[in-house]
Amino acid sequence: MTQPRFATIRLLVLLACLVVVGFTALHQRVYSRNWNQTLEAVVYPINGDDHLATNSYIQNLNSDDFAIINRWGEREAERYALALPTPFKVTLGEQISNLPPTFPDKANAVKVLIWGLRFRLWAWRNTPDDGGLTRVRMFVVYQTGEDNKALQHSLGMQKGLMGLVFAYSLHKQTAQNNIIIAHELLHTVGATDKYNAYGGPLMGIGYANSNRIPLYPQRNAEIMAGRIPTSSSSSYMAESLRSVVINTYTASEINWID
C-alpha cells in the first residue's frame, strides 16, 4: 500500500507544480502585455569565450550602452499613441560567470523541451533575486568572434520572460547588438519573427512600410526582420535602432494596437 500512496502523492505534487507554472505564465503574459507600467528588462552579460578582450568589453559596459533601446521604445510608442510613454526600461545587471546550457543540434520537440527546462533552472540558479515574476531577464553571451565561428541563434521566450542573446564583444558591434537585444525583448511580449529561411524579410509583414511607393528601397528595417529590403531578393542589416521601426503587424502582436 505504501508504494501506490507514494505514487499518488508524487502525482499530486506534479499537478500542483503544473498549476503554479501555468498560473505564473498567465500572470507574466497578462502583465507584460497590458502596458500599464514600464516593463523592466535587465541585461546580464556573460563572457562566452573566456577572452580577455571580451572581459574588458563587459567590464566597460554600463546602462547607458542600452539607453538607445529605451529611447527607441519611446519613439515607437509615440508613433502608435501608446498611453505609456516609456514601454520598457533596459538596464545592466551583474555579470554571470556560468555559461547557459547549449541549445541542442538538430533539435526535436523533446530536446527543445528538455533544454528549456534546463535553461530555466540555470536562469533561476544564476539570478535568484531577479525582481520577481514580472521582470524580463536578457542573458547576453559576448564573444570576440576571432574564431570565425558564426554566433549561435538568439532566443526570446514569452514563457518565463527571458532572452538568450549571442553578441560580439566589439565596440563597433554595440549598435547592432542592441538591435538583437530589442528583437529578443519583443519576443518575450509576443512578437514573432518576420524573416524567411535565408534571413531575408518576409514580403509585407517583414517590411517597415509595405505600402511605400515605390516599394523599394525601403528606408528602414522592421524590428522582427532586422534587415532593410532593397529589392524582393536583397536586403542589408540595419546599422542601429535609428533605422528600425515596429510595423503594424508587430504592434498588434505586442498589444499596442487592436
Side-chain angles (χ1 to χ4, degrees):
M1 296 296 292
T2 303
Q3 187 172 357
R5 182 178 299 174
F6 177 76
T8 300
I9 293 174
R10 185 171 60 180
L11 178 61
L12 290 174
V13 171
L14 177 60
L15 290 174
C17 290
L18 290 175
V19 170
V20 171
V21 170
F23 176 80
T24 300
L26 178 61
H27 174 70
Q28 290 175 330
R29 177 178 174 83
V30 171
Y31 171 87
S32 64
R33 287 166 49 85
N34 62 22
W35 305 108
N36 288 329
Q37 55 184 306
T38 300
L39 185 65
E40 302 287 337
V42 180
V43 171
Y44 295 96
I46 303 166
N47 188 330
D49 57 9
D50 202 28
H51 200 293
L52 289 176
T54 300
N55 189 63
S56 176
Y57 179 88
I58 291 174
Q59 293 305 313
N60 283 289
L61 286 174
N62 59 64
S63 291
D64 289 342
D65 292 306
F66 308 102
I68 189 174
I69 303 176
N70 305 327
R71 295 194 297 270
W72 171 78
E74 292 169 355
R75 185 195 76 193
E76 292 302 290
E78 184 177 7
R79 286 204 310 119
Y80 286 99
L82 192 70
L84 184 66
T86 304
F88 36 78
K89 181 180 180 182
V90 181
T91 57
L92 179 66
E94 295 183 1
Q95 181 177 354
I96 294 176
S97 58
N98 301 314
L99 290 174
T102 303
F103 194 82
D105 293 328
K106 299 179 181 179
N108 55 35
V110 174
K111 289 182 178 180
V112 171
L113 176 61
I114 293 173
W115 176 85
L117 293 173
R118 291 180 60 209
F119 179 71
R120 283 170 173 78
L121 177 60
W122 173 88
W124 176 79
R125 285 175 172 172
N126 286 279
T127 55
D129 300 318
D130 68 326
L133 303 177
T134 51
R135 177 177 291 183
V136 179
R137 288 170 287 174
M138 302 297 295
F139 303 100
V140 183
V141 181
Y142 290 100
Q143 57 196 65
T144 63
E146 288 185 358
D147 55 8
N148 294 319
K149 290 183 179 179
L151 293 176
Q152 295 182 54
H153 189 70
S154 298
L155 301 166
M157 292 159 280
Q158 192 170 4
K159 292 182 179 179
L161 295 180
M162 294 184 292
L164 178 58
V165 175
F166 294 90
Y168 288 115
S169 55
L170 304 171
H171 292 289
K172 65 180 181 179
Q173 290 289 138
T174 298
Q176 289 191 337
N177 288 343
N178 282 332
I179 295 177
I180 300 172
I181 292 171
H183 174 104
E184 302 304 337
L185 175 59
L186 290 196
H187 269 315
T188 70
V189 291
T192 61
D193 285 325
K194 295 175 178 63
Y195 52 81
N196 58 34
Y198 304 101
L202 289 172
M203 178 69 73
I205 65 171
Y207 286 23
N209 182 3
S210 58
N211 296 318
R212 174 174 164 77
I213 300 175
L215 185 59
Y216 304 108
Q218 290 277 303
R219 293 181 175 176
N220 299 295
E222 205 289 319
I223 183 61
M224 302 313 294
R227 299 180 67 87
I228 301 175
T230 55
S231 73
S232 61
S233 59
S234 62
S235 61
Y236 63 95
M237 178 72 178
E239 293 184 355
S240 76
L241 284 168
R242 293 184 180 88
S243 57
V244 177
V245 301
I246 295 174
N247 70 14
T248 55
Y249 298 98
T250 298
S252 178
E253 289 174 336
I254 64 176
N255 203 33
W256 280 13
I257 59 175
D258 297 328

